[in-house]
Structures are given as structure tokens and as C-alpha cells.
Amino acid sequence: MRTDLRVIKTKEALHNALLEVLDEKSLDDISISEICRKAKVNRGTFYLHYAQVENLFEEYFKEITADLARSYQEPYRHVTVLNTKELNPDTIRIFHHIEKYQHFYRIVFSKKVPLLYYYLLFEEIKQLLLKDQEAILHEEIDHELHCSYQANAIIGIIIDWYHKDFIYSADYLNRQLVQIVNIQSGNSKGT
Amino acid sequence: MRTDLRVIKTKEALHNALLEVLDEKSLDDISISEICRKAKVNRGTFYLHYAQVENLFEEYFKEITADLARSYQEPYRHVTVLNTKELNPDTIRIFHHIEKYQHFYRIVFSKKVPLLYYYLLFEEIKQLLLKDQEAILHEEIDHELHCSYQANAIIGIIIDWYHKDFIYSADYLNRQLVQIVNIQSGNSKGT
DNA sequence: GATTTTACTGTACACCTGTTCAATAAAATT
DNA sequence: AATTTTATTGAACAGGTGTACAGTAAAATC
């Protein structure tokens, strides 16, 4: 069978305990012992499921990036981000997603946290772009490399946003992204 | 005075010890105790200078990114990366720099390592772009946001490169980057 | 409902962490 | 060369880490 009731219960207890402690202190100085005390779970049991506190947090994070994929694909299906002519600020839901889960992304982008979360976010966005752009293939350009470029460029904007304490609105960043992506075509038209 | 001889000696001993241990195991499971034993330095002394093993490594990293800035500015001064018409594959020295210090960047990009190093690299590249592009300002586009976008896009390519175990040559990636940056202008010309 | 399977517990161990403090030794300053 | 300053040491502390293993209890299976 897939799910032993005992496993579900312990994992739930650990999840709740982590969320409780995350309100008090930052992820990097939460100890396994502390979580287990709060969850009333033996410390040995923790190691049966996870290796570090970070792995426990990872489970939350994956739920959240799942929401990213859902919200991205919902309103306009198969609308490309790179096909600049048709680029509509409303098609990009990434910034709104980050804004919505700001609390979590403050943790994900804090400098003491392992790179792992960054890669999870990167891969999620990259996969969305890869699917979206199956149609638009440029000769001589490695398609995957291109998506890595584009996905991480977007995260670059998010990093800037994070370092400025999320003062911009998601809508503003959408408009900026459209402007940036359109620079070259704008220039070559002579604007 | 700036530099007590004792400080220089201990730091040197710790630096050498770290390099020694890095050949045996990965950064994230090197203990402070181990480094101190090898360096013949009291553990308490370590904490007088650093808080974690990561802070010791950070000193190396900053030396390396200093080389990045040097090699970037040397061959062609003030040649822009974003002004696509003049973009020459030879002007971008970043990929060659990464290739040269591959051994270090394998550590920097490993998923267990703190995000801090990523930010150090990001900021370095962003600063290079910010200086380079003082001339080319686009109305309606936040200049800093634009550089964050561009800097992180380049790192996106590097991440892809890292995940493919650096199989591409730096020259190939330079050519790819030029192609990608030129996509829009190429399209609007009708190619 | 009885049996088998397996998740969890409690205890123990060697080691690492971060901090404190008086004693020492090696610098810098005079 | 004598004195002052300060980096380093060693020892000790409470707590965390990761692992192992036998015993227990709660599931799943029959």
C-alpha cells in the first residue's frame, strides 16, 4: 500500500510543527530537535523520513510551485512568453504567484538557505517555457539553453524585487518585463 | 595597524586546511573542528574570524569574482553586451572565466550550498552590466531591473552548463548567447 | 479476530556546535 | 629592551547531530 496511517500522522505533525517554529525564527536556525519536541515525534523518526529540516520544508515548497504551474496554465493556454508580438502582460502569472506566496519566497530567497529551492523554482519556470515554446523553434539556438536563459532572466527580476522588499506591484513588473523583452524589436524598427 | 602577523598566519593556515579538505569531501559536510585540526588552530580562534565554514570559503570566492571583473574589463573596455548590433562573441569573457575556475563553480552551484554565493556572482555580473550600459538607457524601463534581468539570464545559461557537467565549450556558449540576444531584432527584420 | 508487517519509541554513543573565561604568548608600541 | 596591547589557547558547558538497535505498538493483511 502507499500510505500507512502512521506515516501520514507523523508527517502532518512535523509539517505543523515546522510552520509553528517558522513564525518565531528563520529556517536556518531551526533545529530538528526543536521540531520533534513540538510535534511530539521521536527524533529518530524524523530521520526515517527526512535528512535535514530543509527536506521537510522542500515538501511545502513543491506544493507551492505546483500552484505556480496551475495558475500559469489556466487563463491562457499555450500563450508564449517569448513571442513578443503577442505578449500580453496578463499572460504572465509568475509575479502574481510570487506576490501571493511572498511569505514563503522570503525564505526561499534568503541567503543562508540552500540553492536547492532556487533550482526547484528555476526548473518549474523552465518547464513551463519549454512546453509553451514547442512551436517557436529557432535554428542554431539550443532550445533548452534558450529556455534556461529566459526562465532565469525572469527570476533575475524576482531577485531584484526581493532585495527591494517587494515594493513593486506584480502588475508593474509584468509591464516592465514586456518592455524589456521588446527592446530589440523596438530598436530595429527605429524607435 | 591593519594586519597583525598572528591574524595573517591563522587565516593562511585555515585557508590551506580548507583547500586540503575540499579535495576529500564536499563543502557542506566539512566541519569546523576538522579544519581547525588540520590547520593546528584552536577552534575558538576560528570563531574569532568566521562564523561558519561558508564564511571562510566566501573569502576565496571573492578573490575569484575579482578575476571575473578584471578579465571582463580588460580586452574591450566599455563594450556593451546589450547593444546587440555591436555584440561580439569575444567581448563576453564570463563563460571563459567560469570554465577557468570550473573547480570552484562546481561547489558554488551545488544544491546544498547557501544562496549567498549565487548572490555574490549575480551582483558581480550585474555591476559589470550596470557600468557598461550607462549610455544605453531606455525610457520606461527601470535600468537596474533590466540589468538584473540580463545578468541572471546569463547565469541561467551557466546553470544549464553546470547541470550538463560543462560539456559545452565557452566559445559555443558565447555564440549561443549572441544568437539568443539577437532573436527579436532578427524576427522583426523578417528573417 | 488472529497474524504478520512495519512505523515508531527510547536509549545510548561519539562527535560537532557555539559560547564563555582566565591564562598565555606573541605581536605592536614606547 | 621594557611595556602595553591583543590574538590565541585550553578547558568546560549545554545543546544539537547522525546513527544504531532492541522493544513496542499500531497499522495492514489474512
Side-chain angles (χ1 to χ4, degrees):
Chain A
M1 279 289 97
R2 185 91 317 142
T3 42
D4 193 312
L5 284 181
R6 289 168 295 183
V7 175
I8 296 174
K9 268 191 264 182
T10 22
K11 285 201 167 190
E12 244 171 32
L14 290 172
H15 278 183
N16 292 334
L18 175 62
L19 274 193
E20 247 185 81
V21 189
L22 266 178
D23 277 338
E24 296 166 27
K25 47 180 81 172
S26 67
L27 185 63
D28 46 277
D29 46 38
I30 293 175
S31 71
I32 292 173
S33 299
E34 189 178 6
I35 292 174
C36 291
R37 271 196 303 273
K38 286 230 175 187
K40 290 182 178 54
V41 164
N42 191 279
R43 198 163 57 84
T45 308
F46 181 96
Y47 288 103
L48 248 43
H49 301 291
Y50 312 99
Q52 312 155 332
V53 181
E54 276 75 16
N55 295 344
L56 176 57
F57 182 79
E58 193 179 335
E59 290 196 345
Y60 279 111
F61 189 69
K62 282 183 176 166
E63 289 173 26
I64 286 169
T65 49
D67 171 89
L68 171 59
R70 244 179 286 117
S71 60
Y72 181 92
Q73 287 158 338
E74 208 183 303
Y76 300 72
R77 297 193 182 234
H78 304 291
V79 179
T80 175
V81 168
L82 283 194
N83 192 351
T84 58
K85 300 289 160 47
E86 297 169 21
L87 184 60
N88 183 327
D90 300 326
T91 59
I92 312 152
R93 303 304 302 167
I94 294 168
F95 299 129
H96 288 89
H97 162 85
I98 303 280
E99 200 172 44
K100 182 175 169 189
Y101 294 104
Q102 205 179 112
H103 180 70
F104 268 94
Y105 283 104
R106 276 184 202 276
I107 298 169
V108 168
F109 282 110
S110 64
K111 63 184 179 192
K112 285 186 180 178
V113 128
L115 248 189
L116 170 65
Y117 307 137
Y118 189 95
Y119 285 142
L120 289 176
L121 179 63
F122 171 75
E123 272 305 319
E124 193 68 41
I125 297 176
K126 186 177 159 188
Q127 289 306 320
L128 292 173
L129 295 179
L130 276 168
K131 282 178 204 156
D132 244 11
Q133 296 168 25
E134 276 166 356
I136 322 149
L137 288 170
H138 300 269
E139 277 181 57
E140 299 192 76
I141 293 181
D142 181 309
H143 185 224
E144 199 184 340
L145 213 57
H146 188 191
C147 289
S148 295
Y149 175 95
Q150 198 68 26
N152 218 42
I154 292 170
I155 301 181
I157 291 180
I158 297 170
I159 290 175
D160 207 280
W161 198 18
Y162 163 78
H163 283 136
K164 283 169 182 153
D165 210 31
F166 295 104
I167 49 168
Y168 304 136
S169 73
D171 286 318
Y172 171 73
L173 291 178
N174 266 352
R175 275 179 267 122
Q176 285 284 309
L177 179 58
V178 173
Q179 296 272 357
I180 291 173
V181 175
N182 280 318
I183 282 180
Q184 279 87 14
S185 43
N187 278 352
S188 59
K189 276 181 205 159
T191 309
Chain B
M1 279 291 97
R2 185 92 317 141
T3 42
D4 192 312
L5 283 182
R6 289 169 295 183
V7 176
I8 295 174
K9 269 190 263 182
T10 16
K11 284 201 168 189
E12 243 170 34
L14 290 172
H15 278 183
N16 293 334
L18 175 61
L19 275 192
E20 246 184 82
V21 189
L22 267 177
D23 278 337
E24 296 165 29
K25 46 179 84 173
S26 66
L27 186 62
D28 46 278
D29 47 37
I30 293 174
S31 71
I32 293 173
S33 299
E34 189 178 6
I35 293 175
C36 291
R37 271 195 302 275
K38 286 231 175 185
K40 291 183 178 56
V41 164
N42 190 279
R43 200 163 56 83
T45 309
F46 181 95
Y47 288 104
L48 249 41
H49 300 290
Y50 313 98
Q52 312 156 331
V53 180
E54 275 76 16
N55 294 343
L56 177 57
F57 182 78
E58 193 180 335
E59 290 196 343
Y60 279 110
F61 189 70
K62 283 184 176 167
E63 289 174 26
I64 286 169
T65 49
D67 171 88
L68 171 59
R70 244 180 286 117
S71 60
Y72 181 94
Q73 285 157 339
E74 208 183 306
Y76 300 72
R77 297 192 182 234
H78 304 291
V79 179
T80 175
V81 168
L82 284 194
N83 191 352
T84 57
K85 301 290 161 46
E86 297 170 21
L87 183 61
N88 184 326
D90 299 326
T91 59
I92 312 151
R93 302 305 301 167
I94 294 167
F95 298 129
H96 288 89
H97 162 85
I98 303 281
E99 198 173 45
K100 182 176 169 189
Y101 294 103
Q102 206 180 112
H103 180 69
F104 268 93
Y105 284 104
R106 278 185 201 273
I107 299 169
V108 169
F109 282 109
S110 64
K111 62 182 179 194
K112 285 186 180 178
V113 128
L115 248 188
L116 170 66
Y117 306 136
Y118 189 94
Y119 287 141
L120 290 176
L121 179 63
F122 172 75
E123 271 305 317
E124 195 69 40
I125 297 177
K126 185 178 160 188
Q127 290 305 319
L128 293 173
L129 295 179
L130 275 168
K131 282 177 204 156
D132 245 10
Q133 296 167 26
E134 277 165 356
I136 324 149
L137 289 169
H138 300 269
E139 280 180 54
E140 301 191 74
I141 293 181
D142 182 308
H143 185 223
E144 199 183 340
L145 212 58
H146 188 192
C147 289
S148 295
Y149 174 96
Q150 199 68 25
N152 218 43
I154 291 170
I155 300 181
I157 291 180
I158 297 170
I159 290 175
D160 207 279
W161 198 18
Y162 163 77
H163 283 138
K164 281 168 183 153
D165 211 32
F166 296 103
I167 49 168
Y168 303 134
S169 73
D171 286 319
Y172 171 74
L173 291 178
N174 267 353
R175 276 178 267 121
Q176 284 285 309
L177 179 58
V178 173
Q179 296 272 357
I180 290 173
V181 175
N182 280 318
I183 282 181
Q184 278 87 15
S185 45
N187 277 351
S188 59
K189 273 183 208 161
T191 310

